Amino acid sequence: MRVLVVEDERVLADAIATGLRREAMAVDVAYDGAEALEKTSYIDYDVVVLDRDLPKVHGDEVARRLVAERSATRIIMLTAAGDVDDRVEGLDLGADDYLAKPFAFLELIARVRALGRRSAPALPPVLERSGVRLDPGKRLVTRDGAEIALTKKEFAVLEELLRAEGAVVSQEDLLDKAWDEHIDPFTNVVRVTMMTLRKKLGEPQIIETVPGVGYKL
């Protein structure tokens, strides 16, 4: 899942990003509204965690523009103003969810995951295919009932393959969803991650390489 955190309080923004990355999400950070609009213009995010009170371009305007573009990106607004009128106003702007500061980080994770499922065609919270079962909430993977320990990136790659439901996923799409904007597009990190993932999943091999196209499960 690809997430953009938009928050002008840098310590808070970086803390949120770090926590979401620990949940195997690919996370970018913007510290003002203008930077957020720039990033969303060329990256398709599943979820934007958006503070309302932003410098340069207000969070309300960022939400309006994303909604006007009919983007599939889901928006969760963060703000220190937590009364009913503020929540209603935020939702009326087109936000999908609203969380008042201070908030419990576990609740933010759950809400981001829920919105991420809504950014694509509806899929069950637990993904299963070919004997593999992946539970994003519990960060648990099993094959034929046996638990498999994966790194964050292996987990994220497997999640994207399962979400594709048998369709081919390109290397570019995997880089986009499992790594952040700082990754070198010419790196071989996807191939290396796929090798270690296949090894951990064991025999018989269930991840197929489609030459020149990508991978499918």
Side-chain angles (χ1 to χ4, degrees):
M1 184 188 304
R2 190 74 178 266
V3 179
L4 176 64
V5 175
V6 190
E7 168 63 64
D8 62 315
E9 295 182 31
R10 289 178 176 257
V11 173
L12 177 59
D14 293 343
I16 292 172
T18 297
L20 294 177
R21 288 177 184 132
R22 287 174 179 161
E23 297 299 314
M25 301 180 195
V27 185
D28 299 328
V29 179
Y31 299 111
D32 60 64
E35 186 181 5
L37 289 173
E38 179 186 2
K39 290 181 186 295
T40 55
S41 70
Y42 63 87
I43 298 175
D44 292 325
Y45 291 101
D46 297 298
V47 179
V48 172
V49 179
L50 179 66
D51 183 42
R52 286 191 74 179
D53 300 315
L54 293 171
K56 297 188 179 179
V57 178
H58 196 274
D60 291 357
E61 181 60 22
V62 174
R64 286 192 192 96
R65 294 193 196 180
L66 289 176
V67 172
E69 292 168 0
R70 299 184 180 275
S71 169
T73 300
R74 301 297 180 174
I75 303 169
I76 177 169
M77 276 193 161
L78 302 179
T79 182
D83 60 45
V84 173
D85 289 341
D86 286 306
R87 292 198 298 270
V88 170
E89 184 179 358
L91 294 170
D92 282 345
L93 288 168
D96 300 277
D97 201 354
Y98 195 100
L99 195 57
K101 301 175 183 175
F103 52 83
F105 192 72
L106 288 177
E107 182 179 6
L108 175 62
I109 291 171
R111 291 185 183 222
V112 169
R113 285 205 178 281
L115 289 180
R117 291 196 294 270
R118 290 164 53 189
S119 70
L123 289 170
V126 176
L127 305 172
E128 295 186 69
R129 189 176 182 85
S130 301
V132 174
R133 188 173 190 272
L134 182 146
D135 186 331
K138 295 180 180 178
R139 287 289 319 282
L140 178 66
V141 173
T142 61
R143 183 174 185 184
D144 299 328
E147 186 173 342
I148 301 171
L150 300 180
T151 67
K152 295 182 181 68
K153 294 307 180 187
E154 290 165 350
F155 188 96
V157 167
L158 180 60
E159 183 174 1
E160 292 305 318
L161 291 174
L162 287 168
R163 288 188 181 281
E165 297 187 302
V168 177
V169 183
S170 70
Q171 174 170 304
E172 290 76 17
D173 285 341
L174 289 173
L175 281 172
D176 184 56
K177 294 296 185 180
W179 281 267
D180 62 26
E181 63 185 331
H182 302 295
I183 190 68
D184 180 355
F186 301 105
T187 182
N188 67 346
V189 68
V190 171
R191 182 173 61 83
V192 173
T193 301
M194 203 63 69
M195 289 172 57
T196 60
L197 178 58
R198 282 172 166 152
K199 183 176 181 179
K200 290 183 179 181
L201 290 176
E203 299 292 342
Q205 290 291 316
I206 55 175
I207 298 176
E208 178 184 347
T209 299
V210 181
V213 183
Y215 306 88
K216 69 176 182 178
L217 191 154

